[in-house]
Amino acid sequence: MIREHVVWIIVGTAVVTVIPRVVPLVLLSRMRLPALFERWLSYVPVAVLAALLAQAVAMPDGRLDLTITNPALLALVPVLVIAMLTRSLIGTVTAGIMLMALLRWMQL
Amino acid sequence: MTSGGSRYRDGARDALPVVLGYIAIGLAFGVVAQTAGITTAEVLLMSLILYAGSAQFVTVGLIVAGAPATAIVATIFLVNVRHLLYSTALSPHVRGLKAWQNALIGAELTDETFAVASGCLSTGRRASAPWLLGINNASHATWIACTTLGALLGSSVSNTRALGLDFALAAMFAALLVLQIVNRPRMRAAVGAAAAGAATGLLGILVMPAGWAVIAATLVAATLGVILEGGS
């Protein structure tokens, strides 16, 4: 079953989402950007990753939780160390998942 | 960083951390939506054409609250406008591709696919259309399948939290951040930018929605990075 007003809401939200996703990629890739702006853009991934990581570990259920009972916060330091030592994306993710399963099993 | 290749298959393989993360969040979204009275077909349509994690949760919440359609669409625009930054940041890497290829690539851009793609590109990988589409399609297919499955199974779905799968994306962000920093010629500037980004991203949620905190963090941290780089 699918309700008509819900379909319109979904189509509307999809349209306003796809525009900021597509327009810069299509238009800006056609032009040369100022060197200083390109240098600025090269810091966007680091900035975005740091912000997303901070939000993901500090508010795992959408609410701010900076207590010791937040397992994501406990797992952060070991995961960063593993990433630095192994330099492996999938290795770090696998270790992180196992560490989190262990923390949950220990009821933390 | 990972497979190193530029074929479709390589992209799908590079997306594995995103796929693991989307299994957990996708199932959770399907269950939440079904519990809130959203039908399986509506969940499928939403995951197919809206395809945005936090925005889908917000949309369901607003539909259930009976918010008017225009208010929901306006809210989702504000939630998702941060993609402007991702799309802009990727644009210098895809100069060689055709406009329709870039449109296809942009349509499936998310926080996580941007993170993986830019992580690989920082190690000197060249962007190819098949490789980027491989990352995107594997992630999107997982999202569609798992949100729909979650809606079908409802609360009978097994607990992915006990398996630790809900930590996959946080671990991925941590690993990509470390890899980004160690791969930069000016590591001091990158560390400074990361610290500023984390602080702004966290403090920002006290006064604004999480998506806007990401935008604020990016503006502050990238500017600081350029300033630190200039001085070193």
Side-chain angles (χ1 to χ4, degrees):
Chain A
M1 194 191 68
I2 193 153
R3 293 162 293 178
E4 195 187 329
H5 79 281
V6 174
V7 170
W8 285 116
I9 289 170
I10 295 172
V11 169
T13 54
V15 169
V16 299
T17 299
V18 82
I19 291 169
R21 280 176 173 168
V22 166
V23 170
L25 206 55
V26 171
L27 290 186
L28 296 181
S29 60
R30 290 279 160 278
M31 50 186 88
R32 192 144 277 289
L33 304 172
L36 184 65
F37 185 51
E38 280 207 20
R39 198 137 58 90
W40 188 87
L41 286 178
S42 76
Y43 281 95
V44 168
V46 168
V48 168
L49 285 166
L52 290 175
L53 174 63
Q55 292 182 358
V57 297
M59 37 190 290
D61 296 310
R63 276 170 290 105
L64 193 63
D65 179 6
L66 293 178
T67 62
I68 195 79
T69 53
N70 174 357
L73 220 48
L74 293 177
L76 177 63
V77 172
V79 162
L80 285 173
V81 170
I82 292 166
M84 260 182 276
L85 294 178
T86 65
R87 307 263 168 113
S88 158
L89 173 58
I90 195 64
T92 305
V93 171
T94 309
I97 290 171
M98 293 189 329
L99 184 61
M100 183 55 59
L102 184 69
L103 286 171
R104 290 259 160 72
W105 183 70
M106 293 162 66
Q107 306 268 309
L108 279 166
Chain B
M1 180 174 69
T2 36
S3 65
S6 61
R7 293 163 303 174
Y8 187 86
R9 202 191 322 164
D10 300 311
R13 201 178 309 149
D14 289 336
L16 185 59
V18 182
V19 166
L20 291 174
Y22 280 8
I23 289 173
I25 302 180
L27 286 171
F29 172 76
V31 173
V32 166
Q34 193 242 29
T35 313
I38 307 297
T39 69
T40 305
E42 288 161 358
V43 168
L44 177 62
L45 181 68
M46 207 183 268
S47 296
L48 198 64
I49 67 174
L50 172 55
Y51 179 40
S54 49
Q56 289 188 205
F57 279 99
V58 172
T59 302
V60 166
L62 290 172
I63 290 175
V64 171
T70 46
I72 299 178
V73 172
T75 305
I76 295 309
F77 175 72
L78 294 179
V79 168
N80 280 338
V81 75
R82 69 184 185 285
H83 292 97
L84 273 177
L85 283 166
Y86 307 160
S87 187
T88 305
L90 272 186
S91 68
H93 296 284
V94 295
R95 287 219 177 88
L97 309 188
K98 297 186 173 64
W100 65 268
Q101 291 176 320
N102 286 336
L104 272 183
I105 291 161
E108 291 182 307
L109 203 54
T110 66
D111 295 314
E112 293 79 18
T113 57
F114 169 72
V116 167
S118 53
C120 293
L121 291 169
S122 75
T123 64
R125 186 95 70 94
R126 278 180 58 86
S128 80
W131 173 68
L132 284 165
L133 288 172
I135 295 177
N136 286 354
N137 293 354
S139 307
H140 195 177
T142 306
W143 181 252
I144 294 168
C146 290
T147 51
T148 308
L149 195 65
L152 281 173
L153 300 177
S155 42
S156 64
V157 70
S158 65
N159 189 2
T160 56
R161 290 170 67 91
L163 300 174
L165 267 180
D166 60 321
F167 191 64
L169 292 181
M172 180 187 83
F173 292 142
L176 287 170
L177 181 63
V178 168
L179 293 170
Q180 277 275 344
I181 290 173
V182 298
N183 280 315
R184 290 196 73 97
R186 304 246 197 278
M187 213 193 280
R188 199 179 61 113
V191 170
T200 314
L202 209 49
L203 292 175
I205 59 173
L206 301 176
V207 292
M208 61 184 104
W212 279 79
V214 173
I215 298 176
T218 307
L219 298 179
V220 170
T223 306
L224 183 70
V226 171
I227 293 171
L228 289 175
E229 186 183 314
S232 59

